[in-house]
Amino acid sequence: PSDKQISSCDPALRPIIRRRARSLPTSPERKRAAVRCQVPGCLSRMNRVRFADALGLDLTEVKVFQSGEDPSIPLHVLSRLSINSDLWYSSLDLEFTMQCLVPDFQQPADCMDFSSRLQTQQVCLERVTSSDLGLSGTIHVRNIAFEKRVSVRYTFNQWKSLHELAAQWHSSIPEKNGQDQVDVFTFFIPVPPFLLQVCSVVQFAARYQVNGQEYWDNNRGKNYSLTCRTHPLKMPRECEESWIHFI
């Protein structure tokens, strides 16, 4: 038989046609006629710019409000505007209070007799500062010998019980006479948060041990004391926006 008489069950082959994907159609109300050029005698049309996402959908949506219709504002936006308004009109600055330990004495380094006290006592507190974690301070001792030990003895309950910690060597500096040296030691007294109550008191004294001798700086027998007091803090108006994020 000839090739023309041979029958086959295979489907007829069709050429593969690749078509470019079309953007999704826009909604009827978004379809607009092409804008024509307004110049007299010009019959060309002006090109329109349309922004679409990967699926061909418009990135913008126009909402037309009728007369007397109010726009819908999300509740979280209204609440934030309300809080900001209250903060704005309540006061110029927001004021807070916190408890902190305040020295009941003048810083020894600011006293005129600091050098003479060091010469007499061999040891003298220089300065102490307080924070929400505890007390930090520096102590000066005369360099009588290389081997020495400096410590701080303190109490939270009027010496009913006491604690003592070792100070750490920080540096050496010359005395004012230029002949002898002074060693500077630092210390840190941790203060538990539950002890930071109004009118609570922390007392301490500096102890210096060298060459088998012992010297003290106890603020001329009165001990160094710090009393917990209320301290006001003010927050400027420009910081209010940052606080709103934490409310």
Side-chain angles (χ1 to χ4, degrees):
S2 62
D3 294 339
K4 295 182 180 180
Q5 296 177 349
I6 297 175
S7 63
S8 175
C9 296
D10 295 335
L13 298 179
R14 296 181 180 180
I16 299 175
I17 300 176
R18 294 188 179 183
R19 297 182 179 180
R20 183 183 299 275
R22 296 180 178 178
S23 300
L24 295 178
T26 58
S27 57
E29 60 271 11
R30 294 178 182 174
K31 292 182 178 179
R32 297 179 180 175
V35 180
R36 296 184 179 276
C37 181
Q38 301 298 324
V39 179
C42 180
L43 301 179
S44 63
R45 295 188 302 177
M46 297 176 62
N47 294 329
R48 292 189 299 116
V49 178
R50 175 172 172 268
F51 297 95
D53 59 12
L55 297 178
L57 299 177
D58 287 343
L59 295 179
T60 59
E61 181 177 357
V62 179
K63 173 65 176 178
V64 179
F65 291 94
Q66 302 296 331
S67 178
E69 182 181 359
D70 296 330
S72 177
I73 303 177
L75 292 178
H76 71 277
V77 176
L78 290 176
S79 61
R80 174 164 294 187
L81 291 175
S82 177
I83 294 174
N84 193 23
S85 177
D86 293 340
L87 293 176
W88 181 269
Y89 291 106
S90 59
S91 60
L92 295 179
D93 294 323
L94 294 180
E95 184 170 330
F96 302 89
T97 58
M98 65 176 296
Q99 284 73 37
C100 61
L101 291 169
V102 180
D104 299 323
F105 54 90
Q106 185 180 4
Q107 299 286 354
D110 298 334
C111 299
M112 298 296 295
D113 61 345
F114 177 72
S115 297
S116 61
R117 288 175 62 179
L118 179 59
Q119 288 286 336
T120 304
Q121 302 173 164
Q122 310 299 325
V123 55
C124 188
L125 173 72
E126 179 190 24
R127 193 176 302 275
V128 64
T129 58
S130 63
S131 67
D132 55 346
L133 298 178
L135 303 177
S136 302
T138 52
I139 300 173
H140 285 199
V141 298
R142 297 191 65 198
N143 188 21
I144 300 175
F146 179 78
E147 295 291 338
K148 58 179 66 71
R149 184 177 188 273
V150 180
S151 58
V152 177
R153 183 173 294 183
Y154 63 96
T155 180
F156 297 127
N157 54 11
Q158 301 293 333
W159 302 107
K160 295 178 182 178
S161 62
L162 56 87
H163 311 272
E164 188 165 350
L165 56 83
Q168 304 297 322
W169 181 87
H170 180 266
S171 60
S172 296
I173 59 176
E175 278 195 271
K176 287 188 176 182
N177 56 21
Q179 299 178 356
D180 301 323
Q181 272 195 338
V182 173
D183 286 334
V184 181
F185 284 75
T186 62
F187 66 90
F188 175 76
I189 301 177
V191 179
F194 62 85
L195 291 177
L196 289 178
Q197 301 177 2
V198 177
C199 296
S200 60
V201 179
V202 178
Q203 294 176 289
F204 70 92
R207 184 186 185 188
Y208 178 31
Q209 296 170 292
V210 60
N211 280 352
Q213 300 293 321
E214 186 175 270
Y215 305 95
W216 286 87
D217 177 20
N218 55 9
N219 194 21
R220 295 190 174 98
K222 297 180 293 185
N223 293 320
Y224 292 102
S225 64
L226 296 93
T227 304
C228 184
R229 294 186 172 88
T230 300
H231 183 70
L233 292 177
K234 289 187 177 181
M235 186 182 70
R237 182 198 297 270
E238 55 267 20
C239 297
E240 292 178 3
E241 287 294 336
S242 60
W243 275 83
I244 291 177
H245 296 288
F246 298 96
I247 297 179

